[in-house]
Amino acid sequence: MRPVPGWLVPLFAAACGVPSAIAPGNAWAHGCYLLGFASFVVLGWVRLRMVSGPARTGYGLILGALSVWLVGDLLYDALTRVVGPPGDVSPADVFWVSGYPLLAIGLVHLVRLRTSGRLREGLLDAMTLATVMAWLCWQFVILPAAENQRLALPVVVGALYPLGDVVLFAVVAILVMAPGSKRGPTRFVVGALALTLCGDVLISMLPAVFTDLSRAVQADRLDGVLLVANSLFVAAVLHPDAAKIAEPSATGHQKLHPARVVFLGIPLVTMPLFAGLNTFTGVASRVSLIVSIVLLTSLVLVRFVLVVRGQEAIRAELAHQAHHDQLTGLANRSALRTVLDLSLSGPRGGYGPVLFYLDLNGFKQINDRYGHAAGDVVLVEFANRLTGVLRPGDVAARLGGDEFVVLSEGIGTPAEAGAMAGRLQALTVTPVVKDGVELAVGVSIGVAAAGDLEHPDVDGLLAAADAEMYTHKTARRTLQNA
């Protein structure tokens, strides 16, 4: 069986929704709407079985939201046939309202997977935008609808729908601002959310335009819009790359898109602008405005602190990488030269500082036989052992390959230097074990002290220690070949 192309689903939904726009309230038109809705919801559940990976859970929640909305429509029709028009509030509202959190949870699940632990920034940005959206809904939708009315069930239920739109608006912002590809199924999801928001807003505005029709008939005019919006979610499930919507971004960072700056700038302008107009006289309006401004300011400050801390962490990491070997974490050649230069330029106590130049024996054979991964294990383990025998004030560095250097300023006599060399020599007595295989290496050590040189400097001390190490390595090879 060939899979149904995703783009056919919204076309089919549009065709099923056209009769409702032309003849709102007509039974045949409403039947086309229900037939289209039920068809692609069933198609979505069938296709979900072919979606693999963690994205399946998110898509399942989205399809669950669509199913709940469909049940609400069917229940409303059944109640209308049995007892007549249910009025402003009916049991169907329970299903219609509960679909919003289900949809939001499913979408946030998909976004969380693709952001790989980097959802916090997008979540804060979305909350910033949603704060303004929530206040606008409260001030211009909920309060006018509840004007001169007591806190009744129809008022409460009526307020849940714009709040659900605020949740969807926040999810759109998270989806757009979070890292990850915006192509493929993501485009269907973003389009579905955008159409859902537009449809809900238009449904709220229709009573002011078509005053001669009942509210139910007015809502029927936009059944096609909501039908297409819901079908786009199913189109995302049908997409060949549906599972890739949950894949993390290929890059470790996300560039700051100019649109993101604009979107975040809108809340910062909107709330102070309304506050400056000072046109709200009601207590509820004033309190909601103050609370929203405080919340908005808090979110912006938290976001600013996170950005600053992130930049500080990046700078600290770059500074560490500039002076340390990435594999072993030891100081690199540049850092060693800096420390040694400072040591030589300061007051010295006769014999020190002392350099121990270490070169691993048999390391090339391990690389050749077991691969570079095994060689890296040996280098890391040797670096850890090396760090374990250092004294306070000693510095260990990796110059590259299998060459290491230890700088010690606290050694005052050749005997102390010999004892230190013995401890370093003993580091390779125990083989390194990887996957049950013993990786045995030795070490050749060259020792050079500033007190043994007439005019010690950084290059001279390093060259002397290197030459001493090479002498010992040559003697070892000669002994082995004898």
Side-chain angles (χ1 to χ4, degrees):
M1 179 179 178
R2 296 181 60 183
V4 178
W7 56 270
L8 283 180
V9 178
L11 289 181
F12 172 71
C16 293
V18 167
S20 295
I22 297 175
N26 181 275
W28 178 81
H30 188 64
C32 289
Y33 162 81
L34 290 177
L35 175 63
F37 199 175
S39 298
F40 62 70
V41 167
V42 172
L43 180 62
W45 282 113
V46 172
R47 178 64 177 84
L48 183 64
R49 294 182 300 176
M50 305 178 190
V51 178
S52 59
R56 186 173 181 176
T57 301
Y59 283 129
L61 290 169
I62 293 173
L63 291 174
L66 300 184
S67 301
V68 166
W69 283 335
L70 177 60
V71 170
D73 290 340
L74 295 174
L75 178 60
Y76 186 88
D77 289 348
L79 291 174
T80 302
R81 289 178 178 274
V82 174
V83 299
D88 293 333
V89 180
S90 72
D93 286 289
V94 176
F95 294 92
W96 290 335
V97 171
S98 60
Y100 286 99
L102 264 179
L103 180 61
I105 293 172
L107 291 169
V108 171
H109 175 75
L110 295 177
V111 176
R112 183 181 61 83
L113 292 173
R114 65 191 289 165
T115 53
S116 301
R118 291 175 286 132
L119 181 61
R120 182 173 57 183
E121 289 78 7
L123 184 61
L124 285 171
D125 293 343
M127 290 176 63
T128 302
L129 290 168
T131 298
V132 177
M133 182 70 176
W135 181 81
L136 292 175
C137 287
W138 169 265
Q139 184 62 43
F140 298 105
V141 177
I142 297 176
L143 282 184
E147 190 176 3
N148 300 324
Q149 296 186 37
R150 294 183 178 181
L151 188 61
L153 184 60
V155 175
V156 175
V157 173
L160 293 177
Y161 288 99
L163 292 179
D165 290 332
V166 171
V167 173
L168 294 187
F169 178 81
V171 172
V172 172
I174 294 175
L175 190 61
V176 172
M177 294 183 176
S181 173
K182 304 300 185 292
R183 299 180 179 179
T186 305
R187 291 181 177 179
F188 285 126
V189 172
V190 173
L193 290 170
L195 271 181
T196 301
L197 289 173
C198 291
D200 286 350
V201 171
L202 289 175
I203 288 174
S204 300
M205 295 172 60
L206 280 179
V209 179
F210 300 99
T211 57
D212 57 326
L213 298 177
S214 68
R215 188 175 185 86
V217 173
Q218 293 168 9
D220 286 345
R221 287 183 179 275
L222 293 173
D223 277 350
V225 176
L226 297 179
L227 194 63
V228 173
N230 293 337
S231 70
L232 288 172
F233 288 118
V234 178
V237 180
L238 297 178
H239 196 279
D241 297 328
K244 293 184 179 180
I245 194 174
E247 290 183 355
S249 174
T251 59
H253 65 281
Q254 181 188 30
K255 293 182 179 179
L256 182 63
H257 195 279
R260 189 169 188 172
V261 178
V262 174
F263 290 152
L264 293 178
I266 291 174
L268 298 179
V269 173
T270 302
M271 301 304 294
L273 179 62
F274 279 106
L277 293 176
N278 197 26
T279 57
F280 305 110
T281 57
V283 175
S285 297
R286 290 179 176 273
V287 171
S288 66
L289 182 61
I290 293 173
V291 171
S292 300
I293 290 177
V294 171
L295 179 59
L296 180 65
T297 304
S298 301
L299 291 172
V300 172
L301 287 176
V302 171
R303 187 72 172 92
F304 175 76
V305 170
L306 291 178
V307 169
V308 172
R309 288 184 175 177
Q311 293 297 321
E312 290 176 346
I314 291 173
R315 286 196 293 268
E317 178 65 20
L318 291 175
H320 182 272
Q321 291 180 3
H323 297 90
H324 292 80
D325 175 61
Q326 293 188 11
L327 177 63
T328 63
L330 300 179
N332 58 18
R333 182 186 295 270
S334 174
L336 174 68
R337 292 181 64 89
T338 300
V339 175
L340 182 55
D341 184 59
L342 290 174
S343 179
L344 292 173
S345 62
R348 302 196 308 272
Y351 188 69
V354 179
L355 275 187
F356 300 87
Y357 203 111
L358 295 81
D359 185 271
L360 298 182
N361 302 321
F363 179 75
K364 183 178 182 302
Q365 288 78 358
I366 290 176
N367 261 345
D368 294 342
R369 182 175 181 181
Y370 299 103
H372 291 285
D376 289 346
V377 170
V378 172
L379 293 175
V380 171
E381 176 60 24
F382 182 77
N384 292 336
R385 296 178 184 182
L386 188 61
T387 304
V389 299
L390 296 182
R391 305 183 307 175
D394 292 348
V395 176
R398 181 188 175 209
L399 301 187
D402 58 348
E403 295 182 334
F404 297 83
V405 169
V406 173
L407 168 63
S408 180
E409 298 187 58
I411 293 179
T413 64
E416 292 181 11
M420 181 65 176
R423 290 195 295 272
L424 297 175
Q425 190 78 51
L427 294 178
T428 58
V429 171
T430 303
V432 178
V433 179
K434 179 182 183 297
D435 299 330
V437 178
E438 292 188 351
L439 307 175
V441 294
V443 61
S444 297
I445 302 175
V447 183
D452 293 335
L453 303 179
E454 185 174 353
H455 300 291
D457 59 12
V458 173
D459 291 328
L461 200 57
L462 281 170
D466 186 15
E468 180 73 12
M469 181 276 299
Y470 185 74
T471 299
H472 288 179
K473 183 178 285 288
T474 303
R476 171 182 168 277
R477 290 175 179 171
T478 301
L479 188 62
Q480 287 181 339
N481 296 330

